[in-house]
Amino acid sequence: MADIAVLGQPVTFPFSKKTAKNRVMKSAMSERLATFSSYDPRIRGQPTAELIRLYETWGTGGIGIIVTGNIQIKKDHLEATGNAIIDRELPSDYLDEYRVLAGAAKAHGSLVLGQLSHPGRQVPITIQSSPESSSDIEHPSVAGVWFARPIPLTREGIHDIVQRFAYAALVLYKAGFDGVQLHAAHGYLLHQFLSHRTNNRTDEYGGSFLNRARLLLETITEIKSTVNDPSFMISVKLNCQDLMYPNDGISEQEFITLAKMLEYIGVDLVEVSGGTYESQVSGKPDNVGPSSSREAYFIDFADRLRPHLSWSKVCVTGGFRSASAMADAVRCNSTDVIGLARPLTAEPLLIMEILRGDKLRAKKNKFPYSQTFHITAAATQIAEIGNGYDITDFSNPFNVSRFIAKLQQELPTAMSETVFIEEVGPPEAHLP
């Protein structure tokens, strides 16, 4: 299959010198398979046998790079129950468990990155009634999930956040992870500092774009200093568009400027994504849409980004479903790496099968358009993989009908538990 052979090419990253065995990355999705207690935060966030089984399964799938779901850096600031956590205030850093997880995911040659995150204002009020953010701008409710008004972080609080990211990165380094990805997209804390919409500070962390990027840049610098190993890979996930208000988030030029800054300080991989959970409330603006012939949402933006980067690699996530579109994106030099998320909950071995020539595209599910259905179905499949169950085949109309009937009985509870699963983007990004 010469047409897709380009997907099987290895990729060497410029600063860490790490090499991925092929050009496909499993992008981060929130697994919700770690321990959780509503009453005792000290026993939250421990990787479980189910979480390890999930990554063991993906590790057998021929994927070049595997990125974990967003590991939280504070035990009481989570995007959802069941998040994995690395917090220096917990009784344990769970080093042994993360070592097992890394080993399971890397067993067949994949690079493994731990995605590190802090939700900022985007933490359900049932988990945290005093969230922290860049400013005191409250997040609107989404699908039955409510959020409290955040408290702006002080300079001391910002310094603490930087130290927590670095501590978590060091734990993952000791556990055998190949690197980390900082989640600076989709409305989480690092993105809240970057965005005009959520950052109205007047100190050195607000105002100009350089100031708004300061927290992210300081975090990367501190991770590099703390880990002190140039072979430890750093990736950053960014929004190229917030998909809400044209001049009220992060502009395209600001994204390009930031990507150049990240290259300058040694970031190996920039993952291009878009959208926020707030955009699910407001809907998408008219000027945003997929490139129908190219599938991926942000591929046209990646074309405009690439000329500005000389070293850092680019990954585009969101919308890819066919092997031909993935291969074309690489062959046209639009992206170095193809990011996939929900296709790999339905078919964990999809990449291996594509590279062998056994499949040409991901399965098409039979859901009518609804973000609720697509998001909740992916969360269900993640839990099935983790528990060792058969994966529900949503390309079967009978399974879809049964799932929708059950889901409608359980709403809004089911949606409130799954609204934050990854691959955010415009509504069409959730189509099969």
Side-chain angles (χ1 to χ4, degrees), residues 30 67 205 242 253 392:
S30 182
V67 185
Y205 292 94
D242 289 353
Q253 187 54 53
T392 302

Side-chain angles (χ1 to χ4, degrees), residues 78-80 98 103 130 139 146 164 214 246 254 260 307 318 392:
L78 312 177
E79 60 92 22
Y98 283 109
S130 299
H139 196 296
W146 292 85
R164 287 175 180 273
R214 191 179 304 276
E254 286 174 336
K260 292 166 66 176
T392 302

Side-chain angles (χ1 to χ4, degrees), residues 121-348:
R121 67 176 191 156
Q122 210 159 265
V123 51
I125 197 170
T126 53
I127 295 176
Q128 178 54 257
S129 59
S130 299
E132 51 197 16
S133 181
S134 52
S135 305
D136 63 350
I137 301 169
E138 187 174 332
H139 196 296
S141 63
V142 181
V145 182
W146 292 85
F147 308 90
R149 181 175 294 277
I151 300 168
L153 282 159
T154 63
R155 289 183 178 86
E156 293 74 17
I158 290 171
H159 178 72
D160 178 67
I161 293 294
V162 170
Q163 296 298 314
R164 287 175 180 273
F165 272 110
Y167 173 81
L170 182 61
V171 170
L172 294 178
Y173 171 72
K174 291 178 178 178
F177 281 70
D178 295 292
V180 293
Q181 181 182 78
L182 298 180
H183 199 339
H186 300 174
Y188 293 116
L189 181 67
L190 295 175
H191 180 256
Q192 289 162 32
F193 271 82
L194 290 170
S195 174
H196 274 299
R197 180 159 182 78
T198 46
N199 185 344
N200 60 14
R201 301 176 73 99
T202 56
D203 63 5
E204 66 269 30
Y205 292 94
S208 71
F209 186 65
L210 179 60
N211 281 353
R212 286 181 280 126
R214 191 179 304 276
L215 172 58
L216 175 59
L217 299 176
E218 288 181 349
T219 298
I220 294 168
T221 301
E222 188 65 25
I223 288 173
K224 285 180 170 288
S225 174
T226 300
V227 173
N228 195 29
D229 185 341
S231 70
F232 191 66
M233 184 174 167
I234 296 182
S235 169
V236 178
K237 185 168 191 166
L238 294 174
N239 269 19
C240 67
Q241 297 182 61
D242 289 353
L243 307 181
M244 286 192 62
Y245 308 102
N247 300 306
D248 201 20
I250 301 173
S251 71
E252 180 173 308
Q253 187 54 53
E254 286 174 336
F255 181 105
I256 291 172
T257 299
L258 180 56
K260 292 166 66 176
M261 291 179 188
L262 296 178
E263 180 176 72
Y264 182 78
I265 63 173
V267 169
D268 272 312
L269 178 65
V270 175
E271 183 179 1
V272 178
S273 188
T276 67
Y277 296 104
E278 189 174 1
S279 67
Q280 294 185 21
V281 180
S282 300
K284 80 176 182 71
D286 292 337
N287 64 340
V288 176
S291 176
S292 59
S293 63
R294 304 181 73 190
E295 291 185 355
Y297 255 82
F298 308 110
I299 197 74
D300 293 335
F301 172 81
D303 285 335
R304 298 191 293 274
L305 169 66
R306 286 303 299 272
H308 297 277
L309 298 179
S310 301
W311 299 99
S312 296
K313 304 299 184 183
V314 173
C315 174
V316 175
T317 296
F320 283 115
R321 294 299 183 265
S322 71
S324 59
M326 299 177 205
D328 285 346
V330 174
R331 196 163 33 246
C332 293
N333 203 33
S334 298
T335 185
D336 301 288
V337 177
I338 301 296
L340 295 179
R342 282 177 292 168
L344 298 177
T345 69
E347 301 177 273

Side-chain angles (χ1 to χ4, degrees), residues 72-78 85 87 118 132 161 164:
Q72 304 299 312
I73 61 168
K74 294 188 78 169
K75 64 184 184 301
D76 50 355
H77 290 261
L78 312 177
I85 303 170
D87 185 341
H118 182 303
E132 51 197 16
I161 293 294
R164 287 175 180 273

